[in-house]
């Protein structure tokens, strides 16, 4: 490969990503009502150091400065999320126009600088009012309320925004937000909001099914409300089985694993194929969700692209002959010294970028669907020294993943864009501000001053040259 050519081509979408609760702050301003994350983060022990998103990066007030950072970075695309409880404080019914106006100002600021907005309608911060009303995703009503909310937003911003994402990562807000345990004591509390303990796994999968319905009805609401042609997608973080060695038998094993690992068979299978994985349903048995007639057709909406969030992966190998293992794959446990970034689950597995794209195309048979990496990045132990952060470890991580993305593009897979997670250090959910994912350092000790890291300069050069540097 000629090292100077734009290996990602001229039309590749280079961007950065954030989410509302993680960066906005101003949680009680402009008519916003509490979200489940406002409530959850105030619970004793829920978030490291008792951190909350009350102030976060103060993006609500500093969004023009942050847009200037994107201009400096040279990106033309920005993925952010809209806080449902800024738009509809009760979760349904009355619309808070001041909340809409904030996003109108943000979007106009982006467009004024030639940056295309990509709006995620739900990135976990649903109104606490709906948790109080019917237990959020435990109720099928949540799906309809989400669709109504989506219609309200698109009806007001659809003249400016043409790239819409329904939900971000069902696994995280359902399968980490609801857990099986002692309902009376609500222990063990799940690590994500709403942090609800249920009696049976079936209740978790039923909530997951309601989220899929929200995606389906949400797609329909977006298309009905948009005043112009628009792009609609789902963002998910499927677990990615990576062959330990790229040989036919281990590749076959990875393909066998894709359907059964994590929640893939219960999320991207129904969304992208119109059916739950039969193998998963067989495994779940009585714990499977109740699927009403028409549900699968609702869930399986035509999409303009798939948003793929990728951070790590899992290695698999071929089954030993005569082992009696009929799953068609074996897990390869990571040795304790395996390279990892600053999160317990963030093992460095760059091939997950390539195999995730390939599995969606080949294993799932959706080679027709454009894919955007809507999140990739890492937490690192950044240190501000003499006004600089030389995060060469983050550059190492990102360079390896982007090289794997380059391979997917070179092999003809429909990878069309990359959004780095994240523009700013921000509220990292249960880890609060104790984990830094940004390419811009937030100085929490000095008025949230923004300090571009070395990775910011590196990413700017990748974007400028259209390749991995
Ligand atoms: C996710 C979320 C982000 C996280 C990021 C790092 O993928 O979990 O979309 O909000 O902050 O991934 O964990």
């Amino acid at each position: 490969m000629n090292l100077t050519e734009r290996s990602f081509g001229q039309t590749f979408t280079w961007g950065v990503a954030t989410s509302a609760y993680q960066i906005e702050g101003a949680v009680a301003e402009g008519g916003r009502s509490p979200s489940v994350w406002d409530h959850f983060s105030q619970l004793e022990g829920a978030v490291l150091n008792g951190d909350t998103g009350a102030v976060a990066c103060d993006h609500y007030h500093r969004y023009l400065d942050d847009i200037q950072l994107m201009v400096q970075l040279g990106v033309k695309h920005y993925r952010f999320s809209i806080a449902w409880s800024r738009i509809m404080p009760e979760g349904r019914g009355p619309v808070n126009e001041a909340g809409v106006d904030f996003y109108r100002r943000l979007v106009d600021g982006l467009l004024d600088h030639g940056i295309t907005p990509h709006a995620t309608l739900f990135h976990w911060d649903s109104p606490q009012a709906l948790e109080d009303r019917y237990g959020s995703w435990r109720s099928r009503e949540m799906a309809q309320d989400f669709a109504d909310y989506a219609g309200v937003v698109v009806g007001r911003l659809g003249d400016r925004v043409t790239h819409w994402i329904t939900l971000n990562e069902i696994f995280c807000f359902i399968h980490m937000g609801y857990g099986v345990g002692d309902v009376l004591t609500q222990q063990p509390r799940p690590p994500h909001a709403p942090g609800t303990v249920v009696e049976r796994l079936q209740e978790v999968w039923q909530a997951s099914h309601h989220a899929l319905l929200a995606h389906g009805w949400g797609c329909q609401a977006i298309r009905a409300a948009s005043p112009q042609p628009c792009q609609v997608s789902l963002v998910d973080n499927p677990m990615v089985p990576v062959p330990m060695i790229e040989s036919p038998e281990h590749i076959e094993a990875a393909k066998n694993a894709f359907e059964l690992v994590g929640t893939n068979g219960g999320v991207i299978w129904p969304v992208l194929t119109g059916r739950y994985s039969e193998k998963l349903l067989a495994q779940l048995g009585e714990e499977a969700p109740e699927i009403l007639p028409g549900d699968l057709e609702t869930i399986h909406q035509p999409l303009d692209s798939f948003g793929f969030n990728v951070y790590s992966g899992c290695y698999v190998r071929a089954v030993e002959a005569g082992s009696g293992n009929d799953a068609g794959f074996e897990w390869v446990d990571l040795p304790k010294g395996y390279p990892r970034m600053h999160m317990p689950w963030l093992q460095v597995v760059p091939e997950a970028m390539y195999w995730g794209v390939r599995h969606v195309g080949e294993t799932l048979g959706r080679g027709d669907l454009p894919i955007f990496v809507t999140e990739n990045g890492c937490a690192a132990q950044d240190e501000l020294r003499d006004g600089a952060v030389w995060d060469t470890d983050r550059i190492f991580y990102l360079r390896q993943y982007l090289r794997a993305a380059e391979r997917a593009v070179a092999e003809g897979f429909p990878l069309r864009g990359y959004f780095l997670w994240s523009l700013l250090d921000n509220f990292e959910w249960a880890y609060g501000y104790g984990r830094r994912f940004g390419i811009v350092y937030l100085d929490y000790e000095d008025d949230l001053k923004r300090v571009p890291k070395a990775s910011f300069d590196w990413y700017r050069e990748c974007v400028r040259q259209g390749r991995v540097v």
Side-chain angles (χ1 to χ4, degrees), residues 17-19 22 79 123-124 168-169 172 176 192 235-237 309-311 343 345-346 374-379 421-422 426-429 431 435 437:
T18 65
S19 89
Q22 294 181 273
R79 177 186 173 226
H123 199 126
W124 309 356
N168 180 78
E169 298 190 357
C172 287
M176 292 178 74
H192 277 207
V235 166
D236 196 52
N237 55 330
N309 287 359
V310 57
Y311 291 91
M343 288 293 272
W345 48 265
L346 227 176
T374 34
E375 288 179 28
N376 172 242
C378 65
W421 183 273
S422 179
N426 60 51
F427 177 81
E428 177 50 32
W429 309 111
Y431 285 84
R435 292 296 184 276
F437 274 84

Side-chain angles (χ1 to χ4, degrees), residues 297-320:
E297 290 74 17
T298 296
I299 292 164
H300 187 214
Q301 291 296 312
L303 293 176
D304 298 289
S305 66
F306 172 63
F308 172 39
N309 287 359
V310 57
Y311 291 91
S312 188
C314 44
Y315 290 111
V316 298
R317 67 173 188 266
V319 173
E320 301 287 334

Side-chain angles (χ1 to χ4, degrees), residues 67-84:
I67 290 172
Q68 280 308 316
L69 285 168
M70 296 178 220
V71 173
Q72 288 170 38
L73 194 55
V75 293
K76 298 298 181 193
H77 298 268
Y78 174 50
R79 177 186 173 226
F80 63 99
S81 80
I82 292 175
W84 187 343

Side-chain angles (χ1 to χ4, degrees), residues 191-272:
H192 277 207
T196 302
V197 174
V198 295
E199 203 158 335
R200 287 183 55 206
L201 182 62
Q202 196 281 338
E203 298 170 79
V204 180
W205 278 103
Q206 197 63 49
S208 189
H209 187 70
H210 296 154
L212 292 174
L213 289 170
H215 163 72
W217 284 326
C219 287
Q220 295 171 342
I222 292 165
R223 293 200 167 101
S226 181
Q228 58 181 322
C230 64
Q231 307 281 305
V232 185
S233 70
L234 170 78
V235 166
D236 196 52
N237 55 330
M239 281 186 77
V240 183
V242 173
M244 183 179 72
I245 300 168
E246 285 202 7
S247 59
E249 68 275 19
H250 296 301
I251 290 173
E252 187 58 26
K255 291 186 172 184
N256 292 336
F258 189 50
E259 181 171 351
L260 282 175
V261 71
T263 54
N264 296 357
V267 175
I268 56 174
W269 247 253
V271 169
L272 299 185

